[in-house]
Amino acid sequence: MKRTLALKFILSYIILILVSFLFTSTVGSYLIEKNTLKTRSTQIYSLASGIAASQAQNYYKNGSSLSNLYDDLKTISSAEEIQIWLVDPSGLIFLNTEKAITEKSQELKDFDPISLGSSYYSVGDFFHYFNSRMLSVMVPVTYNLNLRGYVVIHSTYSGIIAQREKLLVTFYCIGAGIFLFIAMVMVVLLFLIDIPLRRITLGAKEYASGNLAYRIPVNSDDELGYLANTLNYMSSELGKSGEYQRKFIANVSHDFRSPLTSIKGYIEAMLDGTIPLEMQERYMRIVLNETDRLNKLTREMLTLNNLDNKGFLLNITSFDINQIIKDTAATFEGICTSRKIQLELLLTGDTMTVSADVGRIQQVLYNLLDNAIKFSPAHSSIEIETTVRHGKLYLSVRDHGAGIPRDSLNKIWERFYKIDASRGKDKRGTGLGLSIVKEIIHAHGQRIDVVSTVGAGTEFTFTLDIVKKENEKKNAV
């Protein structure tokens, strides 16, 4: 497997460094140079303005010694590392701190202060005087409203470049420290992320190969831990689903094989004459019962499949549950009479309107009654009772049969589960009835409970929503 995630992090980090370096060396360098130039020019302009307003003006006003003025300006230029000129209006440099006062004055060619523009500073060779770029500031000197000359200050542009480079080196050092720290953090993060990811990837490979019992050993509280726990839960559920499918296929195979074997055996016996003609009716009825059992098993499997379908919708209507109980009980009148089992209906009120899927609730009642009769002894009774508590209807089916062992109570809702493990006593049961009951009740958003005592009987109780009568609604309003 190519481990590209760490490589992507490293490449992204390298690209980030290169882009940052390129940005700093271009845009950053330009901004630093521009800011340094502005700061330096402002500083020089302030100095030039001060000289023009004091030393230069005193020179023109009082006629002080040019030598004394030169000495003052020479001191300033040495301290500030600049050149200071005094230029007359025609462009004649009659004082230059870089030259001796005794040297001959030099005239600037094509001297035109207006050509410098409105900016208080200029960058260049200053009317072709210098051979390199200079930062120049020129301030006029006036006396009695007359222009007497200019104070011109020059500073080498290389000094600005040097200051820019000095600041850039500082930024580079700070940036290198920051990137080094980020690199250390990234190494730690990669260590914290890469190892769990490898474990999760290994777990995914194990699941893909069919090893659903594998557990990913990531127990952190972050997103990776959540992902690992989710995958572990998924594998557990898939394992349960696989186990359920295996059990389902085994149970279906068993429940279909037994009646099919009986049907095949009886029909072969009748065809080859093993069963005489006068006894064939009896065995044909056995075959008919076995086909009824197969038909019932098929119907119940289809019902469970519909209930499992997420798109399954209930047809909710309002109906009289008392009448449904009476109609369902009537269907068992024949078998109850033959076995001397008495059905007692303990119903609340003459009518009791509930809101539910009438067909599904009738199926629930049928399965519960069928189950109760199946495990009730002769000359016993089965009570169907309704009570109202906390705004809900509680419907219970109680028998006085063999009861359910405690260790089997939680298993009775499982599909194909039968209390008699040998399946020999219960020939009519499919092991799906109670599963269907639970699915239907839960689909209604209701609950169902069971209480059972071995040797005393079993009681199933489920809830339904009551529909208030119109007059009760009006009174409530």
Side-chain angles (χ1 to χ4, degrees), residues 57-77:
Q57 198 173 70
N58 287 335
Y59 171 74
Y60 290 106
K61 179 178 180 182
N62 301 323
S64 59
S65 169
L66 184 62
S67 176
N68 292 335
L69 179 60
Y70 176 83
D71 291 338
D72 292 341
L73 297 182
K74 181 68 174 179
T75 303
I76 296 173
S77 65

Side-chain angles (χ1 to χ4, degrees), residues 425-439:
K425 297 179 180 179
D426 179 16
K427 291 295 186 182
R428 295 187 297 114
T430 63
L432 296 175
L434 291 180
S435 297
I436 293 174
V437 166
K438 181 181 179 182
E439 295 290 342

Side-chain angles (χ1 to χ4, degrees), residues 244 248 251 304 308 413-417 431-432 435 439:
Y244 168 75
F248 180 84
N251 289 324
L304 281 173
D308 285 339
W413 309 110
E414 296 178 5
R415 300 177 183 185
F416 294 104
Y417 179 78
L432 296 175
S435 297
E439 295 290 342

